[in-house]
Amino acid sequence: EQYSSQITAPVRFAKKYIDENYDKSISLDQIADLVNLNPVYLSITFKKEMGMNFSDYIINVRINVAKKLLKNIQYNVSQVSERIGYTDPKYFSKLFKKKVGITPVEYRKIHL
């Protein structure tokens, strides 16, 4: 509660926008335009308030959603990649391994 009250409205908006639109292409310039701020200022403010940079936040949101989707055998890795906003499944797998430490296929095997 106290933490969220320390976040400014533009950063709250950016966070909410990312949380709701992680599956689409999102850019700092796009969000900055929506909140009427300079992209550099928004970037600095976002990092200060969220403890990570803008792009890392997007990646974290997408990876967390991917983890949930991988626990459902309904989707293959390519479909999971697409559903979280990455058109290239190889890039997604590489990024997933970098962030989680194992590939999406290994993650699925462990969690099914």
Side-chain angles (χ1 to χ4, degrees):
E1 183 68 43
Q2 183 184 7
Y3 172 73
S4 64
S5 68
Q6 295 172 351
I7 299 174
T8 60
V11 172
R12 250 193 327 272
F13 177 88
K15 184 180 174 310
K16 185 177 190 309
Y17 187 90
I18 293 165
D19 292 347
E20 294 173 356
N21 297 282
Y22 59 83
D23 59 331
K24 298 173 182 68
S25 178
I26 302 170
S27 72
L28 178 65
D29 289 346
Q30 172 191 15
I31 303 286
D33 194 43
L34 290 171
V35 296
N36 296 314
L37 287 177
N38 177 297
V40 173
Y41 178 77
L42 178 59
S43 176
I44 291 166
T45 306
F46 193 94
K47 183 165 185 164
K48 188 172 95 181
E49 295 181 19
M50 295 301 298
M52 67 180 74
N53 69 37
F54 184 82
S55 59
D56 282 341
Y57 184 79
I58 295 171
I59 291 168
N60 284 348
V61 168
R62 288 176 171 168
I63 295 296
N64 286 334
V65 173
K67 286 177 180 178
K68 290 177 188 154
L69 293 173
L70 287 166
K71 292 177 184 174
N72 181 345
I73 58 169
Q74 176 183 353
Y75 307 112
N76 65 37
V77 173
S78 293
Q79 290 169 319
V80 169
S81 173
E82 213 171 276
R83 290 179 68 93
I84 63 166
Y86 293 118
T87 54
D88 182 353
K90 288 181 182 168
Y91 174 75
F92 161 67
S93 292
K94 187 176 171 182
L95 188 62
F96 189 93
K97 182 165 184 169
K98 182 180 173 189
K99 290 288 183 181
V100 181
I102 55 176
T103 67
V105 173
E106 292 168 331
Y107 184 88
R108 170 171 273 164
K109 284 179 185 172
I110 292 168
H111 291 90
L112 279 184

